[in-house]
């Protein structure tokens, strides 16, 4: 299946979904949960992911599968392995954690987020990503859980959701694992 034709990384979401992200998910939905609720969801979802992938062989972990188009996932991200998906969750999560830390200090980085930069790079090629993913879940919580993450921190622009606060980035961090949990379920089903 290496001749799969997908849109280029960073192309974005379909038009109606991008409108929903920009005008409802970003400015409204992402403000609804407390820090504690977001942390609970983050931990629960990452543990569900680990439980879902625990019985897979190394070969299964690295087998790429084309999944149907899923909500909030770019077309270019539909042909990944479980290992690539875990790498992506970790890459995005570590970067969001660093961003939240800066926003909590009232610092705004002078960068523009490009979704294409957060695709898997092959970090776990041939090795088991599960131990590192388990450490990721713990590491991010230890890095940030004691911080006062609020809606009142400075805003930083997400490419699909617009200008959002530290608390909204935390909501995204927890939701991001859930989006890719669905992708992992689809990959496993097709193995």
């Amino acid at each position: 299946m290496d001749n799969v034709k997908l849109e280029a990384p960073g192309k974005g979401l379909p038009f109606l979904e991008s409108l929903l992200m920009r005008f409802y998910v970003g400015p409204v939905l992402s403000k609804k949960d407390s820090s504690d609720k977001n942390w609970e969801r983050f931990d629960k979802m990452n543990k569900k992911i680990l439980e879902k992938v625990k019985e897979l062989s190394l070969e299964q972990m690295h087998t790429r599968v084309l999944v149907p188009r899923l909500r909030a996932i770019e077309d270019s991200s539909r042909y990944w392995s479980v290992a690539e998906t875990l790498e992506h969750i970790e890459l995005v999560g570590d970067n969001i954690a660093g961003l939240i830390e800066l926003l909590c200090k009232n610092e705004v980085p002078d960068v523009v987020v490009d979704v294409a930069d957060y695709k898997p790079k092959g970090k776990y090629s041939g090795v088991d990503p599960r131990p590192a993913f388990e450490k990721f879940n713990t590491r991010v919580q230890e890095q940030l859980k004691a911080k006062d993450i609020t809606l009142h921190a400075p805003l930083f622009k997400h490419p699909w959701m617009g200008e959002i606060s530290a608390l909204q980035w935390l909501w995204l961090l927890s939701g991001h694992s859930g989006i890719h949990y669905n992708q992992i379920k689809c990959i496993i089903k097709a193995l």
Side-chain angles (χ1 to χ4, degrees), residues 24-34 38 151 155 161 163-165 167-168 171:
Y24 176 66
V25 174
V28 178
L29 190 60
S30 66
K31 292 179 179 178
K32 290 189 179 250
D33 291 332
S34 68
N38 285 316
L151 289 170
L155 304 180
M161 295 172 57
E163 298 279 340
I164 59 176
S165 70
L167 183 63
Q168 291 167 287
W171 178 89

Side-chain angles (χ1 to χ4, degrees), residues 128-145:
D128 191 342
R130 290 170 282 207
F133 189 78
E134 189 169 5
K135 288 178 185 168
F136 155 74
N137 186 46
T138 304
R139 178 178 67 245
V140 169
Q141 291 185 68
E142 287 174 354
Q143 178 182 354
L144 293 175
K145 209 155 184 196

Side-chain angles (χ1 to χ4, degrees), residues 21-44:
M21 293 291 280
R22 177 73 59 183
F23 296 107
Y24 176 66
V25 174
V28 178
L29 190 60
S30 66
K31 292 179 179 178
K32 290 189 179 250
D33 291 332
S34 68
S35 234
D36 288 343
K37 182 76 172 170
N38 285 316
W39 282 123
E40 181 183 317
R41 186 171 51 244
F42 177 77
D43 186 56
K44 180 181 177 183

Side-chain angles (χ1 to χ4, degrees), residues 80 87-88 91-92 95 112-121:
W80 289 355
E87 178 187 348
H88 169 74
L91 175 64
V92 169
N95 278 273
V112 175
V113 174
D114 183 347
V115 174
D117 294 338
Y118 296 92
K119 303 302 179 180
K121 315 276 190 258

Side-chain angles (χ1 to χ4, degrees), residues 50-107:
L50 283 166
E51 181 64 28
K52 192 76 177 164
V53 303
K54 76 177 183 181
E55 300 297 327
L56 296 179
S57 68
L58 195 56
E59 181 182 348
Q60 289 172 316
M61 289 293 294
H62 289 282
T63 300
R64 284 180 150 192
V65 172
L66 182 64
V67 299
R69 195 110 148 96
L70 300 169
R71 182 184 42 110
I73 295 180
E74 282 191 320
D75 187 61
S76 65
S77 302
R78 294 189 311 118
Y79 186 52
W80 289 355
S81 66
V82 170
E84 288 172 314
T85 308
L86 295 180
E87 178 187 348
H88 169 74
I89 296 168
E90 190 178 339
L91 175 64
V92 169
D94 282 334
N95 278 273
I96 290 176
L99 173 62
I100 290 170
E101 208 165 31
L102 289 174
L103 294 176
C104 287
K105 294 186 221 174
N106 289 315
E107 297 175 24

